[in-house]
Amino acid sequence: MELLKEKIIQEGVVKAGQVLKVDHFLNHQIDVELLDQMGQEFYNHFKDKKITKILTIEASGIAIAVMVARYFKVPVVFAKKNKTLQVSNDVYTSSVASYTHQTTNQIIVSKSFLSEDDHVLIVDDFLAQGEATLGLISLVEQAGGTVEGIGIAIEKGYQAGGTRLREAGYDLLSLAIVLDMCEEPRQITLK
Amino acid sequence: MELLKEKIIQEGVVKAGQVLKVDHFLNHQIDVELLDQMGQEFYNHFKDKKITKILTIEASGIAIAVMVARYFKVPVVFAKKNKTLQVSNDVYTSSVASYTHQTTNQIIVSKSFLSEDDHVLIVDDFLAQGEATLGLISLVEQAGGTVEGIGIAIEKGYQAGGTRLREAGYDLLSLAIVLDMCEEPRQITLK
């Protein structure tokens, strides 16, 4: 998607450890016009699937998910990062390792909001190793629902997540794929 | 706003300690059509102000803020809950006490995204004691910007936040005001 690629090239900030910061338009300040166009792109690609829910993770995924959901006219459900040690019986749960933050989060979704009747489009801002996406897939599977597709804003093409998901047979659309980054001198190469 | 009031009456869950859970349509699952109507209501009320930014706090505020921002055609900025002890020089910061969770969070916004030229509409899902809203107001003031208004989905009318903000002279619009709640037998009284 050209507009997103331009934004990444112009405003993306490369940090040590292959971290790409897109705080200017996606992760802290949000360019709503850009997100609307992203929503339209995801809709065009997945519109023939009978999507009943858009699923994402708090916090950055929520803005994208809402703009996608407008086109599909279905609810958003966002998985929460569990902050307590207790897990009640009325939630589905899975563990998500974060390489960036060197932590493991438990994510949860209330059983009220995912069921075997659901055909789910998973949406998120980044795809790197694929841990977060696999965690969301697990939540849908626990509910007996169907993952109809995965929509990602920015895929890190040099990490394993995209390959893992495509080889597993998922319909994955990434709107921009980063092939290489360098902090100094700053360079971002997109597919 | 009638649709929001109906949703609260029909689907709101009252928990001990005057907690109102609206996970079915606002805080976990999101009814995007409802949010779009809320965005329209906020726009109708504040459209004569020269709004340049919509400001909220992660995570629940983001969905509402994005839908409001569509009408104003301005960016969203969401304050982040600071998870590290270090605070860098390039952020504005304030402390927010949560009575529900009995914690104090530090919230931060990058100095890149709020300036003295900004005319800000603050948006959030709940208003109770007003701590979160006052924290956001502080961030705008630190930047030298102007708070043009405050848009809240659900105000707890029996708590002090609404009075504090109105007496301080802020243009506050709450789309639903809860006057009283009871867990057993379940009852929610709206203004």
Side-chain angles (χ1 to χ4, degrees):
Chain A
M1 183 188 161
E2 285 313 310
L3 181 59
L4 177 61
K5 290 180 187 174
E6 282 169 25
K7 284 272 188 185
I8 294 168
I9 296 292
Q10 287 164 13
E11 300 179 29
V13 175
V14 184
K15 296 275 192 182
Q18 297 278 18
V19 173
L20 175 63
K21 300 265 280 182
V22 287
D23 281 358
H24 280 74
F25 54 93
L26 203 58
N27 281 341
H28 189 3
Q29 181 168 255
I30 299 170
D31 180 333
V32 178
E33 171 62 29
L34 171 68
L35 256 66
D36 189 42
Q37 291 194 31
M38 289 166 54
Q40 175 82 64
E41 289 274 325
F42 287 129
Y43 181 72
N44 289 347
H45 185 87
F46 294 109
K47 66 178 183 293
D48 295 333
K49 310 281 175 86
K50 301 289 177 214
I51 306 295
T52 61
K53 295 264 168 73
I54 310 294
L55 178 66
T56 190
I57 303 187
E58 65 177 355
S60 306
I62 294 174
I64 303 172
V66 166
M67 294 302 266
V68 179
R70 278 188 62 240
Y71 286 96
F72 284 99
K73 300 183 192 305
V74 300
V76 168
V77 175
F78 63 92
K80 300 189 179 195
K81 291 166 185 165
N82 191 27
K83 284 137 198 152
T84 61
L85 289 172
Q86 293 178 311
V87 175
S88 66
N89 284 329
D90 55 2
V91 298
Y92 302 114
T93 179
S94 65
S95 290
V96 174
S98 166
Y99 292 87
T100 311
H101 299 108
Q102 294 282 319
T103 55
T104 296
N105 278 306
Q106 202 175 40
I107 62 171
I108 57 174
V109 162
S110 167
K111 290 182 181 175
S112 304
F113 304 134
L114 280 178
S115 81
E116 60 187 7
D117 298 326
D118 276 319
H119 294 253
V120 178
L121 175 58
I122 291 172
V123 168
D124 210 354
D125 53 349
F126 274 99
L127 173 64
Q129 297 291 346
E131 292 293 323
T133 309
L134 290 165
L136 291 172
I137 290 170
S138 168
L139 297 177
V140 177
E141 287 176 346
Q142 288 171 51
T146 308
V147 175
E148 292 288 354
I150 300 160
I152 298 292
I154 304 172
E155 177 182 338
K156 292 181 171 173
Y158 50 86
Q159 291 191 331
T163 303
R164 287 167 82 178
L165 294 170
R166 290 184 183 95
E167 285 185 353
Y170 290 104
D171 184 357
L172 166 64
L173 175 65
S174 299
L175 299 183
I177 300 178
V178 180
L179 296 179
D180 197 23
M181 292 192 298
C182 181
E183 188 183 5
E184 191 57 47
R186 177 187 178 279
Q187 183 160 342
I188 303 171
T189 309
L190 299 178
K191 189 171 175 182
Chain B
M1 184 189 163
E2 285 311 309
L3 181 58
L4 177 60
K5 290 180 186 173
E6 282 170 24
K7 284 272 188 183
I8 294 168
I9 296 292
Q10 287 165 12
E11 299 178 29
V13 176
V14 183
K15 296 273 191 182
Q18 296 279 20
V19 173
L20 175 63
K21 301 265 281 182
V22 287
D23 281 359
H24 280 75
F25 54 92
L26 203 59
N27 282 341
H28 189 4
Q29 181 167 255
I30 300 170
D31 180 332
V32 178
E33 170 61 28
L34 171 68
L35 256 66
D36 189 39
Q37 291 193 31
M38 289 166 54
Q40 176 81 63
E41 288 274 325
F42 287 128
Y43 180 70
N44 290 347
H45 186 86
F46 294 108
K47 66 178 183 294
D48 295 331
K49 312 279 175 86
K50 302 291 177 210
I51 305 295
T52 62
K53 296 264 168 74
I54 310 294
L55 178 66
T56 190
I57 304 188
E58 64 178 355
S60 306
I62 295 174
I64 302 172
V66 166
M67 295 303 266
V68 179
R70 278 189 62 241
Y71 286 96
F72 284 96
K73 302 187 192 305
V74 299
V76 168
V77 174
F78 63 90
K80 300 189 179 195
K81 291 167 185 163
N82 191 25
K83 284 140 197 148
T84 61
L85 290 173
Q86 294 178 311
V87 175
S88 68
N89 283 330
D90 55 3
V91 298
Y92 301 115
T93 178
S94 65
S95 292
V96 174
S98 167
Y99 294 85
T100 309
H101 299 108
Q102 294 282 315
T103 56
T104 296
N105 277 307
Q106 204 174 36
I107 62 171
I108 57 174
V109 161
S110 166
K111 291 182 180 175
S112 304
F113 304 135
L114 281 178
S115 82
E116 60 188 8
D117 298 326
D118 276 320
H119 295 252
V120 177
L121 175 59
I122 291 172
V123 168
D124 210 354
D125 52 350
F126 274 98
L127 173 63
Q129 297 291 345
E131 293 293 324
T133 308
L134 290 165
L136 291 172
I137 289 170
S138 169
L139 297 177
V140 177
E141 287 176 345
Q142 288 172 52
T146 308
V147 175
E148 292 287 355
I150 300 160
I152 298 291
I154 304 172
E155 177 183 339
K156 292 180 173 175
Y158 50 87
Q159 292 191 330
T163 303
R164 288 167 82 178
L165 294 169
R166 289 185 184 96
E167 287 184 352
Y170 291 105
D171 183 359
L172 166 64
L173 175 65
S174 299
L175 299 183
I177 299 178
V178 181
L179 296 178
D180 196 24
M181 292 191 299
C182 182
E183 187 183 4
E184 190 58 48
R186 175 188 179 280
Q187 184 160 343
I188 303 170
T189 309
L190 300 179
K191 188 172 176 181

